[in-house]
Amino acid sequence: MREKRMTELIFNADDFGLSPSANRSIVACARAGLLKSASLMVTHHSAEDAVRLVDSLDEPIRLGLHF
């Protein structure tokens, strides 16, 4: 008999740091437990805001860098 495998679906948010509204939406999804990581657009004007928002989370998400 075949062994059943558990699968895990991982959601990563793209464009973190693009705009204040994108940042708020991504953080809201993180607070709701819907995602564990995001790609931070380090050269955009809202990147510093995104980092501040991540620091405010009870359970921070992982950040990848989107150059």
Side-chain angles (χ1 to χ4, degrees):
M1 182 163 60
R2 288 184 65 177
E3 183 179 323
K4 289 186 179 181
R5 291 190 209 175
M6 293 193 94
T7 57
E8 183 177 7
L9 181 60
I10 299 170
F11 288 100
N12 178 72
D14 201 10
D15 297 341
F16 198 33
L18 179 67
S19 67
S21 62
N23 293 348
R24 287 191 305 272
S25 298
I26 290 169
V27 168
C29 288
R31 284 193 174 118
L34 299 173
L35 59 91
K36 303 287 184 203
S37 65
S39 298
L40 178 64
M41 300 184 80
V42 296
T43 59
H44 281 68
H45 66 279
S46 294
E48 288 183 31
D49 176 56
V51 172
R52 277 192 296 275
L53 288 170
V54 167
D55 286 341
S56 75
L57 292 171
D58 291 336
E59 292 186 36
I61 58 174
R62 292 176 175 228
L63 292 179
L65 302 181
H66 185 162
F67 290 98

